[in-house]
Amino acid sequence: MAGTDAAWAHFARADWEEARAAFAAALDEQPGDAEALDGLGQSLWWLGDRDAAIASRCEAFAAYRRAGDDRKAGGLAAYLAGEHRIDGRVAAAAGWLARAERLLAGRPLGAEHGWLAIERTKRAGDPAEAERSARAALELAHRLADPDIECMALAQLGRAAVAQGRVDAGMALLDEAMAVALGGEAADPLACGDACCTTLVVCHGVADVRRASEWCEAVVDFSERRRFLPVQSWCRAIYGGVLVRSGEWALAEAVLGEALRRSADRRRGGGGALPLATLAGLRLRQGRPDEAAQLLAGIEEHPSAVAPLVELHLTRGEIPLARAVVDQAAAGGTPDPVVLVLDGAVTLAEGDAVTAARLADALGAEAERLDRDDLQGEAALLAGRAALASGRGADAARALETAGACFAGAGAVLEEGRARLGLARAQVALASPLAVRTARAARDAFERLGARRDADEAAALLRDLGVAGRAAGRGGRDELTRREREVLGLIAIGLSNGQIAERLVIAPKTAEHHVGNVLGKLGVRSRAEAAAHAARDGL
């Protein structure tokens, strides 16, 4: 039909609003047309109206069935199975998956079979099963010469490999998936978005800050150029989480604020829950629990809210509530490493150092299996705190020194400071003269970050040791993050924003944001004045 041809042309150019209007016009001409309903649903999805998109594609499924087109109906059933899985509607998701399998069984192989294979992979019971399913999907993609299925299959195969501890091999597969998705081979925007999302989740999960930052920059730029609005919001939220962990809190606030501006959907499964939960986690790190509570209101059941909810309850002394959230998250499956970390924190708060030590051992074994420095740091931090609570100062000091080194290697700035503050406490227990120096280093790190509550704890320990609890004013340089100090050094040698972006492998807008932060924190109006500061500080 001429109407849908014009609509698909708009869709191919990412003119989502024009595509939506053209598909709606086609439906006015021929109500109930399956292709127009399908195209309308896809356009609405990219405009961010997910509920309306799903409803339209449900109508398209029924229309394809009435027309006897079981192949397209089966492909839509696989898509709807995924959307219901994301929303946690287990029965509905299972029903749609069964419908897809029945409709596509015995049909000549097509892209719809590939989407079904990807959905099977995502709901696999364990990483080994996921790998087998992903390999089958990749083989199918190669048989069909379909780069859309290929990029998703490569991403799922990489994810399964990382989950089994083959991190290098898995990350290589994810890099290849991103090359297919962003390099122009893949044509389906949903397939590109799927590969991007999978890659960013894995990078964030293994605390690969460098790779996650690089791909986040690339995905945000790509999604802006293609006007992939839902992907923009979600990827910005992931990027914000990476920045929070690496100590780039000012930039994280800007990125998360933009993610929330672009997503009005805050319900369970919606795009707004992740940036809200991530921003709540940042507020807790900044020592602002009341603001964190406001951000978490209404998304308490979303998986991304588990960690900030537990931390919020512990901060407020609500230990039974923290325990309830952890137990709910751990129910019904193999414990996630993040849940193990949270379980350990709650167990310590309950005063059970013996069980906390056992959890530290379990977490350490999982960290070794997955080859993750950040989890090794968490395991050592928990072991050190448990040993300190049991009065074993020497054991605590050894574990906490290990934790600090692991967190430093993983780029986890706040966690490194917390390990060092714990080490200072262990040194106090051992009557070590190094305690003051270690506590001061932790305090200074917290103050540079803007971690109020942690800085207060370090200051209190220093006062107990008979020294000043707060650092004397040192001027602007120590208020800068590590990345901002890098930028200041590049300003000092006369680089432009574009040259700074190229040198640091970041987007020009990000470089501009960093330069603005540097000038603001130093209280200067020009790059020349900033360069003078850098010269005085030896940068």
Side-chain angles (χ1 to χ4, degrees), residues 196-468:
C196 290
C197 291
T198 300
T199 298
L200 297 185
V201 164
V202 176
C203 289
H204 185 45
V206 301
D208 189 336
V209 173
R210 180 198 59 78
R211 185 183 259 106
S213 294
E214 181 179 337
W215 280 129
C216 280
E217 295 268 4
V219 170
V220 167
D221 179 66
F222 177 77
S223 62
E224 284 181 348
R225 284 188 283 107
R226 295 295 299 273
R227 285 175 274 187
F228 292 177
L229 300 184
V231 175
Q232 286 182 46
S233 176
W234 194 90
C235 290
R236 285 176 189 276
I238 291 289
Y239 188 23
V242 170
L243 293 168
V244 168
R245 190 168 185 81
S246 61
E248 302 281 352
W249 289 359
L251 182 55
E253 291 216 29
V255 169
L256 292 169
E258 186 67 10
L260 288 167
R261 188 183 71 79
R262 292 169 183 261
S263 176
D265 183 2
R266 299 189 178 192
R267 61 176 174 76
R268 192 182 195 284
L274 181 59
L276 283 169
T278 305
L279 185 56
L282 174 56
R283 291 290 179 258
L284 287 165
R285 287 170 175 249
Q286 293 169 326
R288 297 152 68 179
D290 291 343
E291 293 175 51
Q294 292 174 358
L295 290 163
L296 292 169
I299 62 165
E300 293 91 345
E301 296 301 315
H302 195 273
S304 63
V306 170
L309 269 177
V310 171
E311 186 175 351
L312 175 64
H313 291 318
L314 290 178
T315 299
R316 290 175 163 178
E318 300 165 345
I319 297 173
L321 278 174
R323 168 55 63 195
V325 174
V326 168
D327 288 348
Q328 183 180 48
T334 303
D336 181 272
V338 174
V339 177
L340 277 175
V341 172
L342 297 172
D343 195 357
V346 174
T347 301
L348 267 183
E350 291 169 331
D352 188 350
V354 174
T355 301
R358 285 201 295 267
L359 288 170
D361 290 340
L363 185 57
E366 187 70 0
E368 186 174 352
R369 183 182 74 82
L370 296 174
D371 191 24
R372 284 179 53 177
D373 284 347
D374 64 316
L375 288 183
Q376 290 283 11
E378 294 287 3
L381 179 61
L382 179 57
R385 286 175 170 173
L388 192 58
S390 300
R392 294 181 287 112
D395 291 341
R398 284 191 294 270
L400 291 162
E401 283 181 349
T402 298
C406 290
F407 286 133
V413 181
L414 180 66
E415 287 77 7
E416 180 186 355
R418 287 175 172 174
R420 302 214 177 281
L421 180 57
L423 175 59
R425 291 189 172 116
Q427 290 169 338
V428 169
L430 295 170
S432 169
L434 298 176
V436 170
R437 186 180 71 184
T438 305
R440 277 178 175 156
R443 177 203 60 193
D444 292 350
F446 295 143
E447 289 184 346
R448 284 195 296 271
L449 276 173
R452 301 174 188 171
R453 185 167 175 267
D454 292 277
D456 288 343
E457 289 185 14
L461 178 59
L462 284 166
R463 287 193 298 273
D464 288 344
L465 294 172
V467 296

Side-chain angles (χ1 to χ4, degrees), residues 20 36-61 76 79-80 83 190 230 267:
R20 184 206 62 76
L37 285 165
D38 194 0
L40 177 62
Q42 293 186 53
S43 302
L44 288 167
W45 199 93
W46 289 109
L47 286 167
D49 193 348
R50 183 169 174 268
D51 286 339
I54 293 172
S56 183
R57 298 196 82 185
C58 281
E59 290 185 57
F61 168 83
L76 267 179
Y79 158 79
L80 291 166
E83 293 288 15
L190 196 60
R267 61 176 174 76

